[in-house]
Amino acid sequence: MIHSLFLINSSGDIFLEKHWKSVVSRSVCDYFFEAQERATEAENVPPVIPTPHHYLLSVYRHKIFFVAVIQTEVPPLFVIEFLHRVVDTFQDYFGVCSEPVIKDNVVVVYEVLEEMLDNGFPLATESNILKELIKPPTILRTVVNTITGSTNVGDQLPTGQLSVVPWRRTGVKYTNNEAYFDVIEEIDAIIDKSGSTITAEIQGVIDACVKLTGMPDLTLSFMNPRLLDDVSFHPCVRFKRWESERILSFIPPDGNFRLLSYHVSAQNLVAIPVYVKHNISFRDSSSLGRFEITVGPKQTMGKTIEGVTVTSQMPRGVLNMSLTPSQGTHTFDPVTKMLSWDVGKINPQKPPNLKGTMSLQAGASKPDENPTINLQFKIQQLAISGLKVNRLDMYGEKYKPFKGIKYMTKAGKFQVRT
Amino acid sequence: MSSNSFSYNEQSGGGEATELGQEATSTISPSGAFGLFSSDLKKNEDLKQMLESNKDSAKLDAMKRIVGMIAKGKNASELFPAVVKNVASKNIEIKKLVYVYLVRYAEEQQDLALLSISTFQRALKDPNQLIRASALRVLSSIRVPIIVPIMMLAIKEASADLSPYVRKNAAHAIQKLYSLDPEQKEMLIEVIEKLLKDKSTLVAGSVVMAFEEVCPDRIDLIHKNYRKLCNLLVDVEEWGQVVIIHMLTRYARTQFVSPWKEGDELEDNEKNFYESDDDQKEKTDKRKKPYTMDSDHRLLIRNTKPLLQSRNAAVVMAVAQLYWHISPKSEAGIISKSLVRLLRSNREVQYIVLQNIATMSIQRKGMFEPYLKSFYVRSTDPTMIKTLKLEILTNLANEANISTLLREFQTYVKSQDKQFAAATIQTIGRCATNILEVTDTCLNGLVCLLSNRDEIVVAESVVVIKKLLQMQPVQHGEIIKHMAKLLDSITVPVARASILWLIGENCERVPKIAPDVLRKMAKSFTSEDDLVKLQILNLGAKLYLTNSKQTKLLTQYILNLGKYDQNYDIRDRTRFIRQLIVPNEKSGALSKYAKKIFLAQKPAPLLESPFKDRDHFQLGTLSHTLNIKATGYLELSNWPEVAPDPSVRNVEVIELAKEWTPAGKAKQENSAKKFYSESEEEGDSSDSSSDSESESGSESGEQGKSGEEGDSNEDSSEDSSSEQDSESGRESGLENKRTAKRNSKAKGKSDSEDGEKENEKSKTSDSSNAESSSIEDSSSDSESESESESESESRKVTQEKEKKTKQGRTPLTKDVSLLDLDDCQYSCICTNKNSRAASSNEWKRTSCPLFLSKTALHFW
């Protein structure tokens, strides 16, 4: 399956390579560089590139290309999904996944990769098992290791690989037993010129942070499970139980994990919590354009909207913008033509507003299209779909855990066409 | 990271030049560099010394630096002797790093690598399964041909190991050995055959992978394991699931008959014509019942369904392609929702999924129509995603939604991403040809775009308008005139060529403009693009034929220019046209027909989806993505006309099958083959004719499911009792029987009811068919009547027992989700008699009452 893996940074240097079968020469990446050049933008590089003897499947994340070399037919999603898993694992291990961090931890990276694949076929991809095999580096451990000469490699052999709950390591112990669940919903929407919704959907996830001793068996039930239209589960969730009773029953992995992601059925109308009023106009004759945006709350169920940022890719003809915001700060990058306005909290009494003029290239014709406005925002303590967790129960262990649940609504891909 | 790496980094910073020097000597790095050779040697000396020191910390430090070198693609092979000595180190991390090194360089230093073999051989006998496994892993990763016999032996031993983890590694080793020495194929197939029988979920994925790599054509090895694999599937790790599902898709296409209704009648007719000497009965059956789904076929479709909920995109895609390729068309609809869900994922996942949706949406629009809005383009999507979404939107366009779509397209045309805008224009063109109601609207819209400022947009519109006009016999003189004016401003060659061609084609409709255009073009001929030159020549030729009075000289002038053009295509064309149209003494018979040749009615181009021809590749494969057959692509075979003998999938049932075989056989001598699967599958009590039976097979699938879902109460009570079963089963056989009986009592009644219901059902459905089946039906009816409750119960018990004997592939595993865990544990424990058994037993003991209490909790 996967022959080799090359990590390539944005300037085109191969800074890590790993082979699982016989060595494939680096020169194979030349085909990749060619494609990269043709694509001009990093995210337009095709994920699958055929070369005379190999196929290059790549994933672009954190400004790094993860290029897998394969030789024979294999489902492309298999490789791509695996590469994403690799990135997730690095992130899990090192906090961030960036070139300097990978270079600094090259040995750990190598050891992890060695465990993740055997002969190109995934072996251990669960972070709980991997962490048992190879301990993630922490400052404390680094210090201890230097003093005592012990190592990052777990001295105990991993038991998780053998157990029937491969996602959970054995012998977990905590003094404070806690289980936190975050219900996070993202609104994907396209709003048209006149402010009416073209498409809107809610995508939600439940991220959990479970720190419980032993082998707890949890059940999580919802007040209104009917809302969930399409769900995908962490492998720990018992599917039959969900099918029959709409209850999530699972033995959780240790630590952070994504329990569930869901889609709220399209029948329910999505409440759009913000409105954007805009007036962007270019005139043919003059080299000045008018620009005005107002963001305000709508259907927020009494919650405040925070962390609002507005970004917009201005047309190429715009040279500069002189704007005054009623609150927050704004920047305009004359090179990339990217306008971003960090609004912050929205005060319903005084909706924030950004107003001013754009100076256009003299003599150039006016741009055909007004820019699209991308919106980011957060609403704490609210799941916009109305999903509510009913209760969380634990079986199998004696102690009483601390349980917490948090709701949040965010903008996903939220676009306003102007 | 430890401080070691810090020091390493500092050093590597200082010793940059030395490392570059190594690069120059290495064979791997193509980028040559220069450096000081002497210091290079010195540095490696230093590493060697560290490796030979007594202190583990120094060794570790050295190994880390070496691994760093390997990671950067630098050659560290000369350290081989020093490194290999440490293979037996007590320190686990050193050992691991040495393994990394060995696997990387053993191929290059075969003789020295042999030194390490004995260490692994010793480790293969270690009492700890994890050590055995990792020894096998490294041993098999060392690509040294001399040790092939040793590897073979090790694999054979490991495949019989008590630990499923070691067996999993053995399965991996098979592929490695095969790529090292394909001669071993026969022996390896034996091992694969053995491992395929393995009941552990750990092994299943890996061995199927080995099977796919070594002997994908030996489909016969799968028969006996088919049902087991189907039943284990949910519990296999996600990567294994992908491989198994792909393999089973291929398997199903060779073993079952097509469930697709459309082709059915045709196929049947053919059959009746050709196979005259075949069994008469079978033929009559066939004619009466066009299609009945094999229960094994149904089993696969049913057992993969939950996996659509997987978090792993590859698994979801694998299930989707399975449904697409082997399920009845009416059932494939359920995959669309899950596929649309994947569109929320990363860019790369979106790309692959959209490609597959594009192919699907050509054939079955209806599947994705409800999700039309999910394919709307956002300005932040990468271009390749945008174009794929457009493609899908085009495929989904119909009379009902076209007006919404066109409005949406209007936004896209204005996009700043001009490549995308151009693609949108093409899309509009395609919609216009596909949906006749909007052709004029689209055409008008496109003409408006001709006044767009952006050249790419205008050019693309011209090309599309050209195609549209060609399709329409209606006169569009105005548009052509408008486009002729554009020639002055447009510079994109394709667009200019299109306009010229269009004028040439319609030169009789625009008699005034055409010669003028030719005049202008004659002036600029030399500076035009080759593409445009060819069209100027064409235009000249056409005008010469229709309007030679005005254009004779012009054309000759152009032909003269073309004669001396740099491009040989243009010279050739010039020569050809001259001979054809200009009458002279040598001109052949053809010149008479010149007008007919040039001004013939040209067939309109078909604006087709680029995904049209992709459907012959299996969805979700690399070949499909690339639209080229990739190395090692396994063709998905067509459905067989007659299903191969389904009894090959039967696994010998040890004692009790006999008990009720005769009963079944007496009634249905013509279809003994299907009857086992029934007995195993559902414990179904309807033994009727071959057709009604297999029908009930598929029905029972459904029924079983609805039973599970609807009747949660009973289901979970079953849970608990079977939970006990599996536990007590380990303790004694006697106990086993008793609990089985208890279990069956709970279930038996409802089941026998089910059975009757089913008979009724099959009767009603069959009544429309010919008499023979109804006779059979009545016989089955009488049977079910004659069966007293107790009898059916006893049969239930026997079936229950059968199930027990075949742990792991019984449907129970599926029905009872809570049991899943324990069930696998079971196989784990009975095979693995080392210390771990105790601890896992303990876990079970705690968990069993837990499940009970939980289920109890939900009832009260």
Side-chain angles (χ1 to χ4, degrees):
Chain A
M1 290 217 138
I2 299 170
H3 258 249
S4 309
L5 175 71
F6 294 98
L7 266 56
I8 300 173
N9 63 15
S10 44
S11 53
D13 296 326
I14 303 170
F15 65 92
L16 188 110
E17 63 178 66
K18 171 100 182 87
H19 308 273
W20 283 274
K21 300 185 181 183
S22 23
V23 177
V24 177
S25 159
R26 269 176 181 232
S27 55
V28 78
C29 290
D30 293 349
Y31 293 101
F32 178 80
F33 295 135
E34 244 173 62
Q36 198 182 2
E37 232 163 82
R38 233 176 295 133
T40 59
E41 264 174 75
E43 57 174 16
N44 275 332
V45 177
V48 183
I49 302 166
T51 78
H53 300 289
H54 301 94
Y55 305 95
L56 305 179
L57 274 70
S58 64
V59 154
Y60 181 66
R61 275 176 76 180
H62 306 288
K63 305 227 160 84
I64 301 173
F65 282 103
F66 293 77
V67 183
V69 183
I70 57 169
Q71 220 158 19
T72 51
E73 170 67 51
V74 61
L77 271 185
F78 185 98
V79 180
I80 286 167
E81 186 75 20
F82 176 78
L83 290 176
H84 281 299
R85 206 59 72 78
V86 169
V87 183
D88 293 341
T89 309
F90 287 170
Q91 223 169 349
D92 195 26
Y93 261 76
F94 311 123
V96 279
C97 176
S98 66
E99 191 191 347
V101 167
I102 290 177
K103 277 182 171 168
D104 282 351
N105 295 295
V106 79
V107 176
V108 179
V109 165
Y110 234 69
E111 284 168 345
V112 169
L113 287 175
E114 184 74 29
E115 293 299 336
M116 287 184 87
L117 279 182
D118 180 21
N119 194 38
F121 190 76
L123 192 62
T125 49
E126 283 296 335
S127 103
N128 264 253
I129 296 180
L130 282 171
K131 282 188 170 163
E132 223 175 323
L133 285 166
I134 298 136
K135 302 231 165 68
T138 58
I139 296 168
L140 179 69
R141 193 167 296 124
T142 314
V143 176
V144 171
N145 284 356
T146 5
I147 297 164
T148 61
S150 59
T151 63
N152 274 332
V153 174
D155 35 6
Q156 285 193 332
L157 291 154
T159 49
Q161 255 163 331
L162 308 168
S163 89
V164 285
V165 277
W167 54 84
R168 187 173 179 86
R169 61 193 179 93
T170 47
V172 185
K173 270 213 177 88
Y174 289 102
T175 43
N176 293 326
N177 290 295
E178 359 170 75
Y180 297 106
F181 294 87
D182 293 356
V183 179
I184 302 169
E185 297 195 335
E186 295 193 355
I187 306 174
D188 287 357
I190 302 178
I191 312 285
D192 82 353
K193 229 178 211 161
S194 58
S196 57
T197 311
I198 293 180
T199 136
E201 6 178 61
I202 298 174
Q203 308 278 351
V205 292
I206 299 182
D207 282 337
C209 176
V210 177
K211 293 180 175 172
L212 297 174
T213 308
M215 272 288 173
D217 195 311
L218 304 178
T219 53
L220 186 77
S221 60
F222 297 103
M223 304 273 268
N224 38 9
R226 298 249 163 265
L227 272 177
L228 308 184
D229 182 36
D230 186 32
V231 280
S232 71
F233 300 117
H234 189 275
C236 68
V237 177
R238 297 184 179 97
F239 182 72
K240 283 287 159 191
R241 199 74 192 282
W242 172 258
E243 281 282 88
S244 58
E245 301 168 57
R246 300 271 145 180
I247 281 175
L248 294 172
S249 154
F250 55 98
I251 295 174
D254 185 41
N256 295 315
F257 66 101
R258 174 156 296 176
L259 178 65
L260 168 84
S261 40
Y262 61 89
H263 179 102
V264 174
S265 55
Q267 281 86 359
N268 300 39
L269 271 182
V270 179
I272 305 289
V274 289
Y275 70 83
V276 178
K277 268 197 224 153
H278 49 80
N279 181 8
I280 303 171
S281 62
F282 304 101
R283 260 163 297 163
D284 249 334
S285 49
S286 88
S287 62
L288 282 180
R290 263 196 308 162
F291 185 96
E292 182 177 355
I293 312 181
T294 313
V295 188
K298 179 173 106 177
Q299 295 175 295
T300 58
M301 334 236 167
K303 303 280 194 302
T304 34
I305 304 173
E306 330 168 354
V308 182
T309 45
V310 177
T311 51
S312 181
Q313 172 77 54
M314 303 307 286
R316 244 165 294 155
V318 177
L319 284 183
N320 212 343
M321 306 181 78
S322 69
L323 304 167
T324 35
S326 68
Q327 76 178 74
T329 53
H330 80 282
T331 52
F332 176 71
D333 184 343
V335 181
T336 58
K337 313 288 182 203
M338 186 64 88
L339 169 75
S340 82
W341 175 29
D342 192 353
V343 184
K345 238 181 232 174
I346 293 184
N347 174 3
Q349 268 76 50
K350 207 163 85 38
N353 161 286
L354 180 71
K355 199 173 170 182
T357 55
M358 302 175 276
S359 52
L360 303 173
Q361 213 159 12
S365 52
K366 77 166 186 135
D368 314 309
E369 190 205 22
N370 283 340
T372 0
I373 297 167
N374 294 305
L375 216 60
Q376 286 297 320
F377 57 82
K378 259 192 298 203
I379 306 171
Q380 302 279 5
Q381 302 306 327
L382 173 74
I384 198 86
S385 68
L387 186 75
K388 275 227 156 58
V389 172
N390 185 20
R391 55 181 298 152
L392 176 74
D393 296 307
M394 187 182 71
Y395 305 93
E397 297 287 338
K398 294 264 164 1
Y399 56 84
K400 248 194 141 53
F402 183 81
K403 299 176 278 193
I405 187 135
K406 211 170 76 182
Y407 298 93
M408 180 148 78
T409 298
K410 286 201 290 193
K413 296 170 180 163
F414 198 102
Q415 286 198 345
V416 181
R417 293 177 179 162
T418 62
Chain B
M1 190 66 245
S2 71
S3 66
N4 292 331
S5 80
F6 268 113
S7 65
Y8 162 62
N9 279 325
E10 274 163 40
Q11 282 189 18
S12 72
E16 198 60 62
T18 64
E19 281 176 11
L20 285 173
Q22 277 179 346
E23 211 164 43
T25 58
S26 82
T27 48
I28 351 149
S29 54
S31 58
F34 51 86
L36 297 169
F37 196 65
S38 54
S39 68
D40 171 34
L41 273 181
K42 208 171 105 202
K43 191 188 166 200
N44 283 348
E45 270 317 310
D46 153 49
L47 281 172
K48 265 182 207 160
Q49 269 172 13
M50 286 165 79
L51 284 170
E52 271 153 27
S53 83
N54 295 326
K55 272 190 251 161
D56 271 358
S57 59
K59 285 183 182 177
L60 189 58
D61 201 9
M63 280 317 298
K64 282 186 173 174
R65 280 169 54 187
I66 293 170
V67 167
M69 282 162 69
I70 296 175
K72 284 189 186 146
K74 285 162 190 156
N75 193 356
S77 61
E78 61 164 30
L79 290 162
F80 202 93
V83 174
V84 85
K85 274 182 216 156
N86 291 305
V87 73
S89 169
K90 290 269 184 306
N91 182 315
I92 294 181
E93 187 161 24
I94 295 181
K95 209 178 197 167
K96 278 200 171 169
L97 295 178
V98 172
Y99 286 177
V100 169
Y101 183 90
L102 255 181
V103 172
R104 171 68 181 77
Y105 287 112
E107 207 170 8
E108 293 167 28
Q109 310 248 354
Q110 307 213 343
D111 291 345
L112 286 168
L114 293 179
L115 294 174
S116 62
I117 303 298
S118 65
T119 321
F120 298 126
Q121 279 181 303
R122 223 175 304 128
L124 281 172
K125 303 266 186 299
D126 197 280
N128 187 325
Q129 46 176 336
L130 289 155
I131 293 179
R132 288 203 300 278
S134 81
L136 179 64
R137 231 182 110 187
V138 183
L139 179 68
S140 54
S141 300
I142 296 175
R143 285 169 296 271
V144 179
I146 305 171
I147 63 162
V148 165
I150 298 176
M151 274 164 75
M152 194 66 225
L153 204 68
I155 291 172
K156 273 191 178 161
E157 256 170 46
S159 69
D161 200 289
L162 290 174
S163 150
Y165 184 64
V166 176
R167 295 202 299 273
K168 181 189 177 74
N169 276 282
H172 285 200
I174 291 171
Q175 303 162 49
K176 299 181 209 170
L177 181 53
Y178 179 65
S179 65
L180 184 65
D181 183 9
E183 303 266 290
Q184 304 292 323
K185 189 171 174 179
E186 287 312 311
M187 296 244 263
L188 288 175
I189 291 177
E190 277 172 34
V191 183
I192 290 175
E193 194 172 357
K194 195 161 99 193
L195 284 174
L196 275 172
K197 296 203 181 87
D198 205 299
K199 290 191 176 65
S200 163
T201 49
L202 266 179
V203 185
S206 303
V207 70
V208 171
M209 188 64 226
F211 169 83
E212 290 280 82
E213 207 129 295
V214 179
C215 51
D217 47 337
R218 287 290 304 275
I219 215 90
D220 56 301
L221 296 181
I222 303 299
H223 292 321
K224 291 259 181 273
N225 303 296
Y226 173 81
R227 287 172 202 159
K228 183 195 75 192
L229 284 173
C230 285
N231 286 319
L232 284 185
L233 199 55
V234 194
D235 295 321
V236 176
E237 34 89 38
E238 41 196 356
W239 311 107
Q241 285 172 345
V242 179
V243 177
I244 296 177
I245 292 171
H246 273 269
M247 188 274 289
L248 289 179
T249 311
R250 268 192 314 119
Y251 179 85
R253 284 288 283 252
T254 60
Q255 299 300 315
F256 306 124
V257 286
S258 166
W260 299 335
K261 299 256 159 49
E262 291 94 322
D264 236 12
E265 280 175 27
L266 225 159
E267 247 170 53
D268 258 16
N269 288 339
E270 271 174 14
K271 236 174 270 165
N272 289 340
F273 282 129
Y274 295 125
E275 41 177 290
S276 52
D277 52 353
D278 231 18
D279 188 315
Q280 193 61 35
K281 256 176 203 162
E282 208 179 310
K283 221 167 83 184
T284 44
D285 285 350
K286 270 263 149 63
R287 208 178 295 146
K288 260 158 232 150
K289 266 220 161 251
Y291 175 70
T292 53
M293 189 184 268
D294 191 306
S295 60
D296 287 330
H297 192 170
R298 170 57 61 197
L299 177 74
L300 176 60
I301 292 173
R302 178 159 32 100
N303 282 8
T304 45
K305 190 179 163 210
L307 296 178
L308 280 173
Q309 247 74 43
S310 172
R311 63 163 171 178
N312 187 319
V315 176
V316 178
M317 189 64 232
V319 179
Q321 65 85 23
L322 178 124
Y323 266 79
W324 178 261
H325 288 295
I326 74 163
S327 83
K329 295 210 159 145
S330 55
E331 287 169 45
I334 60 163
I335 62 176
S336 36
K337 193 193 275 180
S338 306
L339 286 178
V340 170
R341 185 186 72 227
L342 295 186
L343 296 181
R344 276 282 295 179
S345 193
N346 296 292
R347 163 188 86 101
E348 296 84 7
V349 175
Q350 281 185 40
Y351 175 74
I352 306 284
V353 173
L354 285 172
Q355 273 190 331
N356 284 294
I357 293 180
T359 305
M360 291 187 204
S361 59
I362 292 174
Q363 284 183 36
R364 295 182 213 167
K365 280 187 183 192
M367 264 174 75
F368 291 97
E369 241 174 50
Y371 303 97
L372 186 73
K373 287 191 172 174
S374 304
F375 301 108
Y376 278 9
V377 176
R378 290 161 204 282
S379 63
T380 42
D381 288 332
T383 310
M384 59 180 178
I385 301 289
K386 285 181 186 161
T387 36
L388 278 171
K389 281 185 173 172
L390 258 188
E391 175 60 40
I392 295 167
L393 288 176
T394 324
N395 292 338
L396 295 180
N398 59 21
E399 286 85 358
N401 58 25
I402 186 69
S403 54
T404 341
L405 274 181
L406 281 179
R407 215 170 309 132
E408 186 69 14
F409 288 157
Q410 276 172 20
T411 330
Y412 299 166
V413 169
K414 287 190 232 146
S415 164
Q416 292 174 29
D417 182 347
K418 290 305 163 198
Q419 207 186 329
F420 170 59
T424 309
I425 292 166
Q426 290 213 352
T427 299
I428 296 174
R430 260 176 61 198
C431 288
T433 55
N434 293 341
I435 302 162
L436 292 174
E437 282 95 27
V438 293
T439 312
D440 284 323
T441 330
C442 290
L443 200 56
N444 289 337
L446 288 172
V447 171
C448 290
L449 285 176
L450 290 178
S451 52
N452 194 292
R453 277 194 200 79
D454 192 90
E455 190 158 62
I456 302 172
V457 172
V458 178
E460 202 65 44
S461 315
V462 168
V463 176
V464 172
I465 290 175
K466 177 201 127 189
K467 286 181 186 161
L468 282 183
L469 288 186
Q470 204 181 338
M471 253 165 248
Q472 292 209 318
V474 205
Q475 305 281 332
H476 285 288
E478 278 307 307
I479 297 176
I480 294 169
K481 272 179 208 159
H482 184 80
M483 288 168 78
K485 279 181 209 150
L486 281 173
L487 260 187
D488 299 332
S489 52
I490 293 187
T491 56
V492 178
V494 195
R496 289 175 76 82
S498 294
I499 297 177
L500 289 173
W501 184 88
L502 206 57
I503 293 171
E505 219 31 33
N506 297 295
C507 54
E508 281 166 300
R509 286 181 202 131
V510 282
K512 283 193 182 140
I513 295 169
D516 193 48
V517 169
L518 189 66
R519 179 184 61 80
K520 280 187 196 161
M521 293 330 283
K523 274 203 282 190
S524 62
F525 185 87
T526 45
S527 55
E528 295 287 353
D529 188 273
D530 291 343
L531 207 61
V532 184
K533 283 179 183 170
L534 288 176
Q535 289 309 326
I536 297 174
L537 286 170
N538 269 346
L539 176 65
K542 282 171 192 163
L543 282 175
Y544 186 93
L545 292 170
T546 55
N547 188 1
S548 62
K549 208 190 280 170
Q550 272 185 302
T551 57
K552 191 172 181 183
L553 284 172
L554 262 177
T555 308
Q556 269 174 351
Y557 171 69
I558 290 167
L559 288 176
N560 281 334
L561 282 177
K563 197 173 170 185
Y564 299 106
D565 199 88
Q566 281 188 328
N567 186 309
Y568 49 77
D569 269 350
I570 292 167
R571 293 200 301 273
D572 275 357
R573 179 72 63 90
T574 313
R575 218 168 293 139
F576 160 72
I577 287 176
R578 188 189 290 275
Q579 290 304 316
L580 202 54
I581 60 171
V582 183
N584 59 6
E585 67 278 8
K586 273 187 282 177
S587 64
L590 269 180
S591 55
K592 268 183 263 169
Y593 304 107
K595 191 165 181 179
K596 272 191 184 156
I597 290 170
F598 273 106
L599 293 167
Q601 191 68 42
K602 276 122 193 147
L606 267 173
L607 298 177
E608 268 186 344
S609 161
F611 283 83
K612 188 115 195 153
D613 54 340
R614 288 203 187 188
D615 54 354
H616 59 272
F617 289 115
Q618 186 176 358
L619 290 181
T621 59
L622 186 63
S623 307
H624 174 267
T625 301
L626 296 169
N627 203 13
I628 313 167
K629 200 168 164 184
T631 337
Y633 172 73
L634 298 162
E635 206 79 54
L636 205 58
S637 72
N638 282 327
W639 296 101
E641 303 222 324
V642 190
D645 184 10
S647 65
V648 290
R649 284 187 291 279
N650 295 346
V651 184
E652 282 99 79
V653 180
I654 309 140
E655 345 116 71
L656 297 147
K658 282 184 233 144
E659 227 172 72
W660 78 298
T661 310
K665 233 175 197 154
K667 261 165 246 150
Q668 22 152 310
E669 56 293 318
N670 57 343
S671 68
K673 49 182 179 173
K674 271 185 181 154
F675 131 101
Y676 265 113
S677 58
E678 289 287 281
S679 70
E680 285 180 2
E681 242 264 78
E682 287 295 321
D684 202 272
S685 59
S686 65
D687 322 326
S688 38
S689 73
S690 68
D691 21 47
S692 71
E693 186 185 359
S694 47
E695 202 223 7
S696 67
S698 63
E699 241 167 45
S700 68
E702 229 108 87
Q703 215 161 41
K705 222 195 298 169
S706 65
E708 282 163 39
E709 281 164 7
D711 228 343
S712 67
N713 210 345
E714 189 170 311
D715 201 32
S716 31
S717 75
E718 239 177 347
D719 276 5
S720 51
S721 64
S722 44
E723 190 95 24
Q724 285 166 349
D725 279 356
S726 57
E727 201 190 8
S728 57
R730 273 157 241 147
E731 278 150 22
S732 71
L734 244 169
E735 183 70 25
N736 185 351
K737 273 182 196 168
R738 211 178 304 142
T739 42
K741 225 173 252 171
R742 226 196 303 143
N743 196 358
S744 66
K745 252 175 217 164
K747 193 183 172 188
K749 199 163 178 180
S750 71
D751 258 22
S752 62
E753 271 168 26
D754 267 6
E756 268 166 32
K757 234 186 275 164
E758 208 151 278
N759 276 338
E760 270 169 38
K761 234 188 216 173
S762 62
K763 196 174 162 189
T764 50
S765 64
D766 273 7
S767 59
S768 60
N769 290 317
E771 23 169 35
S772 69
S773 66
S774 71
I775 293 166
E776 277 156 356
D777 242 18
S778 64
S779 76
S780 74
D781 250 10
S782 66
E783 184 218 7
S784 66
E785 271 161 3
S786 70
E787 270 173 14
S788 65
E789 176 123 347
S790 65
E791 202 185 301
S792 75
E793 199 179 302
S794 71
R795 252 177 53 191
K796 282 284 114 86
V797 176
T798 62
Q799 281 157 23
E800 219 47 60
K801 271 186 206 157
E802 276 172 41
K803 281 178 188 170
K804 211 119 293 151
T805 56
K806 294 166 287 157
Q807 275 283 353
R809 81 185 149 73
T810 66
L812 256 185
T813 337
K814 269 253 12 191
D815 291 354
V816 187
S817 67
L818 294 177
L819 190 59
D820 285 356
L821 298 169
D822 269 30
D823 216 61
C824 323
Q825 189 92 33
Y826 172 61
S827 59
C828 207
I829 288 159
C830 51
T831 49
N832 166 16
K833 290 194 181 65
N834 71 9
S835 57
R836 202 147 307 288
S839 71
S840 41
N841 246 334
E842 205 172 270
W843 137 237
K844 188 162 7 64
R845 231 174 289 129
T846 53
S847 63
C848 277
L850 149 75
F851 288 137
L852 286 174
S853 65
K854 200 182 343 169
T855 45
L857 212 119
H858 282 288
F859 296 137
W860 303 120

